[in-house]
Amino acid sequence: MKFNEAIHGLNPSDTFPGGKVTRVSSNVNKLPNDHYPQAGITNFALMNELIEYILQFGSLNQQQSDLVTRKAKEIELRKDAYFSEAGHIPKQVGFIVQGVMRGCYYTNTGEEITRCFISESSLVVDYINFDIGAYSSEYLQACTDCRMIVFSKQNWEELSQTIVGWDNIKNKMVQLCMHQKSRKGPVISQDATTRYLEFLENYPSLTNRIPLAYIASYLGITQQSLSRIRKNIR
């Protein structure tokens, strides 16, 4: 099924038909900082978090749930590593168990723009390009060390072929993803302080978790300006 928007993430503070996403917290055992994520040993507790998330959007019996977990793999993505990159075809759908990622791109003049942030209990994927096998124009990058559960394209598609009703569940997850993406970013005509205050409202738990450079990029200001704003409103 083709969709008309690239999918970049879910916000666990959003509500949507199917319920409210619950945050997950766990300790991350760090792996070598490879450029591309590698599969780790399956953690059944983490897989259970994924199943609980999916069950908000539809029903799975035990056999179907077991199939989903067999098709998925756990990975750990180090801070600043890319989950997908511009100029490459996205090959995985991810679910963030712990950590924060961002969607970003570069303008024709080389300016880095952060478009959104994606945190725990969220899908993360450039979906339209993943779906049609096209090259992405944006990056999905880890802002912190991230623990994730991922599906390859083949395994993701096999779920649709094997599980009755999976497409309905999948479409609801995608709709929630699009709902989050439709949230307007900073209005550049607003003063920088107003933009930062709106960021705090939209992403209240992220301020002390991600680099200020990424927040400044999202707000369209310099890191020095952001530091002054933060000092003035304390």
Side-chain angles (χ1 to χ4, degrees):
M1 179 176 182
K2 304 299 188 291
F3 297 93
N4 294 325
E5 289 196 53
I7 305 303
H8 287 284
L10 312 173
N11 191 313
S13 63
D14 286 331
T15 58
F16 197 76
K20 185 173 182 179
V21 179
T22 302
R23 284 190 180 279
V24 181
S25 178
S26 61
N27 295 322
V28 175
N29 296 319
K30 293 177 171 53
L31 297 181
N33 189 11
D34 295 331
H35 184 62
Y36 293 101
Q38 300 295 321
I41 298 173
T42 299
N43 183 316
F44 292 101
L46 299 188
M47 290 294 179
N48 188 56
E49 299 290 351
L50 171 66
I51 295 301
E52 288 182 1
Y53 172 78
I54 293 172
L55 290 177
Q56 296 177 89
F57 304 95
S59 299
L60 297 174
N61 60 36
Q62 188 60 52
Q63 184 178 15
Q64 292 168 333
S65 296
D66 291 343
L67 176 63
V68 171
T69 59
R70 287 200 302 272
K71 294 294 184 182
K73 292 182 179 180
E74 178 193 346
I75 67 169
E76 295 188 6
L77 191 65
R78 293 296 298 270
K79 178 182 175 182
D80 296 330
Y82 292 104
F83 182 71
S84 66
E85 299 182 76
H88 295 264
I89 299 173
K91 296 184 181 300
Q92 299 180 103
V93 173
F95 174 77
I96 302 175
V97 177
Q98 184 178 24
V100 183
M101 300 186 70
R102 66 172 183 144
C104 60
Y105 64 94
Y106 290 88
T107 66
N108 292 334
T109 59
E111 181 183 6
E112 180 185 275
I113 304 295
T114 297
R115 195 185 56 74
C116 64
F117 296 101
I118 310 148
S119 55
E120 286 87 355
S121 294
S122 305
L123 290 185
V124 57
V125 59
D126 179 356
Y127 200 89
I128 192 169
N129 290 312
F130 169 84
D131 191 41
I132 66 176
Y135 293 97
S136 180
S137 60
E138 297 189 359
Y139 297 85
L140 289 171
Q141 184 182 29
C143 299
T144 67
D145 291 337
C146 293
R147 174 169 282 182
M148 306 177 66
I149 298 170
V150 299
F151 298 87
S152 68
K153 184 174 178 63
Q154 177 180 338
N155 286 347
W156 183 256
E157 292 176 345
E158 285 179 359
L159 293 176
S160 292
Q161 299 165 6
T162 308
I163 299 177
V164 175
W166 175 259
D167 280 344
N168 185 50
I169 294 173
K170 178 184 70 176
N171 292 346
K172 289 178 181 179
M173 292 191 290
V174 168
Q175 287 172 20
L176 177 54
C177 208
M178 294 171 69
H179 173 70
Q180 186 275 339
K181 184 176 181 290
S182 69
R183 178 185 288 168
K184 293 182 179 179
V187 178
I188 301 302
S189 60
Q190 294 175 329
D191 66 87
T193 299
T194 300
R195 277 179 264 164
Y196 179 63
L197 292 174
E198 289 188 354
F199 168 83
L200 294 179
E201 181 178 350
N202 291 333
Y203 299 102
S205 67
L206 300 189
T207 309
N208 297 319
R209 298 181 64 193
I210 58 179
L212 290 183
Y214 294 159
I215 300 176
S217 172
Y218 176 78
L219 298 175
I221 60 177
T222 65
Q223 187 172 340
Q224 290 76 13
S225 295
L226 177 58
S227 296
R228 286 195 297 269
I229 291 169
R230 284 164 56 89
K231 182 178 180 180
N232 290 335
I233 66 175
R234 287 174 180 170

